[in-house]
Amino acid sequence: MSETWANSTDGGNVDPWDSVARRVGADLFLDLQPDPGAQSRGRSSRRRHALAAALREAIATGRLNPGTALPPYRSLAADLGLARGTVSSVYSELVAEGWLTARRGSGTRVADGVTAPPAPRAIGTARAPFLGTAVRHDFALGQPNTGLFPRTAWINATRDALSDAPDDVFAPGHPQGRPELRRVLADYLARARGVHASADDIVLMTGVQGSLELLSHNVFGDRVAVESYGLPFHRMAIERGGTELVPVAVDHHGLIVDELTRLDVSAVVLTPSHQFPTGVALHPERRAQLITWARHTGALIVEDDYDGEFRYDRSPVGALQALGPDVVIHAGSVSKSLSPAVRIGWLVLPTRLVDTVAWAKGVREPDASLVDQLVLAQMITSGAYDRHIRRSRQFYRWRSDALTARLATIGIEVPGVAAGLHMVIPVAADTESALVARAHERGIAIAGLDFFRHPASPILPDGGLVVGFGTPSASSFGADLDALAGLFYLPNRRLRAE
């Protein structure tokens, strides 16, 4: 049928090669728009010169780099609607001029040394734009170790998922996301995190940041409470939605709920299982107090289950949502468990909010991949995701222990729970900024506690360095730990918590 269609568009003049040429070779865009006022006489010559000029321009400006393979002349002729002899003669002309090279078995390529494209713009890392030197020891926060990504399991899951995928996977989907993932995710979150939800209560997103911005636009009221020390992207996402932020202090038991009860806010956003950045878990009594406050006031609780799967000294702390599915929005993603490159997140919502959030999101969510949703569903179903989590947990536990042991050799004890992908090294408050500056001079990517403080919040009496231990590569980890330990020795002064 496709052959008949191709031939019918040719006005009945069937070229046996044309239908083949249109299916081979590579695409090459060349702007050869005809001049509508030009005479028909000499049209072939004009098109030949236009093709040659377009190829020269593409090479000279660097759009076609040295070594780039051009389509076979027959394929390009079919694509452009030119005679094969016209394209062949242009190729020969540019070979003779030195723009192109033609070798048997290698095809026609752009010659070396004929372009001078601008030097590529240096692309820095978003996690360290403030460093004056290159990052040599990367303790960046909030990122898993890239070498742990389960490539084989992802490839196998992709093959299995796509083999059985219905055709509607490749069309715009329902705003809640693929039902296959919502079903298995509901079971997984119930089993691994204690979440109470059905597939109908889940709206799939691309991540927590986008989720918070959507909630700010469509669900939150005018004022929302946040932890006084917390994730900056939480605050930025909520503020982009036009919502005013009110900070609430945290201590060694997490968010101080007594302070929250005195505020007039419509919601609170927090990280109860592993508070970021202090690392504490919200105390059980405060959990119950928080649920009571929300039910009494009609407010919402938004729980970012930040690295909730990674607890090393005992079983992970369960999700706060289990205590109040009617008032808690549970937000999560695979950015810590798999990779931030996999754009899959979720909101587990009170039933009354599902339609509001789903239709506010819409069917054309930026960056969402329905195919990736199917692949993750397959990984969870096959058990590959659980195996990856357990391997990752052992890896990060070893890293946490190694960092703690290295700091112990210089007399520094790290408090808090053993969990997540970062820890806070205690330092005197008056030395924190000096240590951070020293680290940046040495190319060590870390942050001070004060970086995470809400501008309207008081400074904690104790300082700290927030260090992500998941990021360094396996080959450099020992040297990275030595460099970090070396920060605590400045000329004539040892900077550490006494």
Side-chain angles (χ1 to χ4, degrees), residues 230-246:
L231 290 158
F233 81 78
H234 275 182
R235 301 197 292 264
M236 291 186 290
I238 296 169
E239 287 178 328
R240 279 196 299 270
T243 303
E244 178 187 354
L245 297 179
V246 183

Side-chain angles (χ1 to χ4, degrees), residues 17 23 26 39 43 72 84 113 192 241 245 264 300 332-334 388 395 433 442 498:
W17 168 255
R23 297 195 297 268
Q39 298 179 357
R43 183 178 63 179
R84 295 195 296 274
L245 297 179
D264 180 18
L300 287 169
S333 76
V334 297
H388 169 71
F395 176 86
S433 61
R442 298 182 180 186
E498 298 294 344

Side-chain angles (χ1 to χ4, degrees), residues 23-229:
R23 297 195 297 268
V24 300
D27 288 341
L28 175 60
F29 172 75
L30 295 172
D31 189 3
L32 300 179
Q33 295 297 324
D35 181 357
Q39 298 179 357
S40 59
R41 184 178 181 181
R43 183 178 63 179
S44 177
S45 177
R46 286 194 300 273
R47 299 194 74 180
R48 180 183 181 283
H49 288 302
L51 175 59
L55 285 170
R56 291 190 190 97
E57 188 272 341
I59 296 170
T61 59
R63 190 162 67 84
L64 296 178
N65 292 318
T68 300
L70 298 187
Y73 73 87
R74 292 181 173 182
S75 174
L76 186 59
D79 289 344
L80 298 178
L82 299 175
R84 295 195 296 274
T86 298
V87 179
S88 176
S89 65
V90 168
Y91 276 15
S92 298
E93 178 182 336
L94 296 187
V95 169
E97 293 176 357
W99 293 95
L100 303 176
T101 61
R103 294 185 179 88
R104 184 177 298 277
S106 182
T108 304
R109 296 178 178 271
V110 177
D112 292 335
V114 297
T115 66
R121 180 175 58 88
I123 301 176
T125 57
R127 58 181 176 268
F130 45 85
L131 291 179
T133 58
V135 176
R136 294 192 293 273
H137 306 286
D138 192 356
F139 291 98
L141 301 170
Q143 300 180 53
N145 187 277
T146 55
L148 289 185
F149 186 82
R151 300 180 188 221
T152 300
W154 187 266
I155 292 169
N156 292 339
T158 301
R159 182 186 61 247
D160 294 342
L162 293 186
S163 295
D164 300 325
D167 290 344
D168 67 1
V169 169
F170 306 103
H174 191 278
Q176 284 188 250
R178 289 301 305 180
E180 296 90 340
L181 178 55
R182 288 190 284 114
R183 284 193 293 266
V184 299
L185 187 60
D187 293 341
Y188 172 80
L189 292 175
R191 170 172 54 82
R193 304 295 299 125
V195 171
H196 293 177
S198 70
D200 293 336
D201 297 322
I202 296 175
V203 175
L204 297 176
M205 307 289 291
T206 56
V208 174
Q209 183 171 359
S211 299
L212 290 175
E213 187 168 353
L214 183 146
L215 292 173
S216 182
H217 279 291
N218 301 280
V219 175
F220 294 159
D222 295 333
R223 303 174 81 229
V224 168
V226 294
E227 295 163 313
S228 58
Y229 279 71

